[in-house]
Amino acid sequence: MGNSIEWWSRFAAEVRAAARGDAPVDLPIRTARDGLGFDCAALVGAGVDAGDRGQPVLVNLDYPRDVMEFIATTYAHSCPGHDYALRHPSAMRFIDLPFDFHSTRTFRQALQPNGFHEGLTLPLAVDSGGVVRPGFVAMSSTHARPLDDDARLALTMLSHEIAGLIDPGASAGDPPADLVAWVRGDSVDVRIGALDSTGLSSTDLRRLARLTVADGTGRAGLRRRGTDGRWRHIRLVVRSGAALIRIGRADIVGGLTARELDVVGLVARGWSNEQISEALGISVRTARSHVESALGKVQVPNRTALARAAIEHDLDSVDALRCAVETTRLSDPPRVSTDH
């Protein structure tokens, strides 16, 4: 193997750190590119298996723009070399294909005109299900030396962990995130996606991080409607005083309104109607009405079941979290209520 055991250990550690969200996603991709002797590398996320819309480019290290666009669209959706790699999920070199890759449109129209003579594709999912095209790592070089067999095997063995780079910080069952960001103090480090795709601002993210840190539980699952009118699912995990934030599009369970979501979040914390009305600046009658409406929409019989559903489905809001933090600062936490 051309690279030492120490190099592969360091690379694997970088992959795991980036997959947790603790390091920039481009760090292990850069390490692979430089350590394995390639000139360019890219991490491409999963995408729909239809139309001309390209798969999301999450990392691009030195590919010319036209080549990157070709890789994320034509190559990802219709190149026989890429299709073969998906059907035989392993680190795939030109020489591993059962046909001459140099005769393909990808090589003739995108790679060769830009001086690339060798390359590799690493699929990052085994089964696309016919609906979603798996993500992948693409690397190209201006020399014509294929990656050695041992390195190809090592990359293939790490592909499951490398797949975590597409959605850092994800847990089993989490929906895909449109944005992953690491927030520490006033610093917002976007790892995946772009803020303008979420309907939220960097100020919103900093506020969410501060509230979650102050809450003291170490994590939060929220729903929030952005300025674009769309609901998002927001998951926050606090580590060493900072917060990893994952945001993805989501429906609101039962069609709850924003105010009903505030109320449900406080019911889940054991608050009474009187406490809810005071915190949200609404009447007790209105608070009770929101609770009754939420019971019907979520289809549960009582407040205890509503609280359980709220925890299971992250039916919580920024305002509910804010009220909880402010109340904790001012007094003891509220007692569990049994009123309706």
Side-chain angles (χ1 to χ4, degrees):
M1 184 182 294
N3 299 81
S4 67
I5 296 298
E6 290 76 16
W7 184 91
W8 282 103
S9 297
R10 177 168 61 88
F11 173 62
E14 290 178 355
V15 168
R16 293 171 189 134
R20 291 193 304 268
D22 294 338
V25 175
D26 66 341
L27 176 63
I29 303 299
R30 190 178 302 276
T31 295
R33 180 197 65 174
D34 297 344
L36 298 176
F38 291 93
D39 296 292
C40 303
L43 173 66
V44 179
V48 295
D49 192 14
D52 297 327
R53 187 161 60 106
Q55 295 182 208
V57 178
L58 307 179
V59 175
N60 177 21
L61 301 179
D62 295 331
Y63 272 114
R65 179 179 297 179
D66 61 330
V67 176
M68 194 67 255
E69 289 178 354
F70 192 100
I71 289 173
T73 54
T74 304
Y75 175 70
H77 288 256
S78 60
C79 179
H82 188 67
D83 287 342
Y84 185 86
L86 296 186
R87 293 196 306 271
H88 305 79
S90 62
M92 193 70 61
R93 306 163 297 188
F94 293 178
I95 61 172
D96 300 314
L97 299 172
F99 51 84
D100 182 10
F101 186 75
H102 297 83
S103 65
T104 65
R105 179 184 175 189
T106 297
F107 185 80
R108 289 184 289 103
Q109 293 188 10
L111 300 184
Q112 188 178 36
N114 285 276
F116 297 118
H117 298 288
E118 186 54 58
L120 175 140
T121 295
L122 177 65
L124 297 180
V126 174
D127 182 12
S128 68
V131 176
V132 177
R133 300 284 287 187
F136 59 96
V137 172
M139 292 189 282
S140 301
S141 60
T142 54
H143 61 70
R145 299 185 302 275
L147 187 69
D148 67 80
D149 290 335
D150 289 340
R152 179 196 179 211
L153 175 62
L155 275 178
T156 300
M157 293 177 66
L158 284 170
S159 62
H160 179 73
E161 292 184 83
I162 296 173
L165 302 180
I166 291 176
D167 196 2
S171 300
D174 281 349
D178 294 326
L179 180 126
V180 179
W182 184 253
V183 182
R184 184 183 299 275
D186 291 331
S187 172
V188 177
D189 180 10
V190 175
R191 301 285 166 81
I192 293 292
L195 269 175
D196 58 9
S197 69
T198 67
L200 302 174
S201 67
S202 57
T203 300
D204 293 327
L205 297 191
R206 287 193 292 267
R207 181 189 181 206
L208 283 169
R210 285 195 296 269
L211 287 172
T212 306
V213 170
D215 187 46
T217 60
R219 62 183 58 246
L222 310 167
R223 308 271 172 159
R224 190 179 192 278
R225 188 159 52 194
T227 55
D228 57 1
R230 296 179 179 177
W231 283 97
R232 262 85 179 185
H233 177 263
I234 305 173
R235 182 71 57 82
L236 301 93
V237 178
V238 176
R239 299 173 185 162
S240 303
L244 180 70
I245 303 181
R246 302 180 67 256
I247 303 175
R249 284 167 287 184
D251 295 328
I252 187 68
V253 175
L256 295 170
T257 66
R259 181 55 91 191
E260 287 169 349
L261 187 64
D262 296 336
V263 171
V264 170
L266 295 176
V267 168
R269 291 173 169 85
W271 287 37
S272 68
N273 290 340
E274 288 75 12
Q275 291 165 324
I276 293 171
S277 69
E278 181 178 356
L280 296 179
I282 58 178
S283 69
V284 175
R285 181 177 179 179
T286 299
R288 183 180 295 109
S289 176
H290 284 319
V291 172
E292 292 173 352
S293 177
L295 290 172
K297 288 183 176 181
V298 183
Q299 299 182 353
V300 292
N302 52 49
R303 295 174 77 102
T304 300
L306 182 60
R308 186 181 304 115
I311 294 171
E312 290 175 351
H313 299 288
D314 286 339
L315 299 181
D316 199 3
S317 72
V318 178
D319 275 347
L321 179 60
R322 174 187 56 78
C323 291
V325 169
E326 291 175 353
T327 299
T328 300
R329 288 170 176 168
L330 295 173
S331 62
D332 293 332
R335 295 186 298 275
V336 174
S337 170
T338 58
D339 61 358
H340 291 276

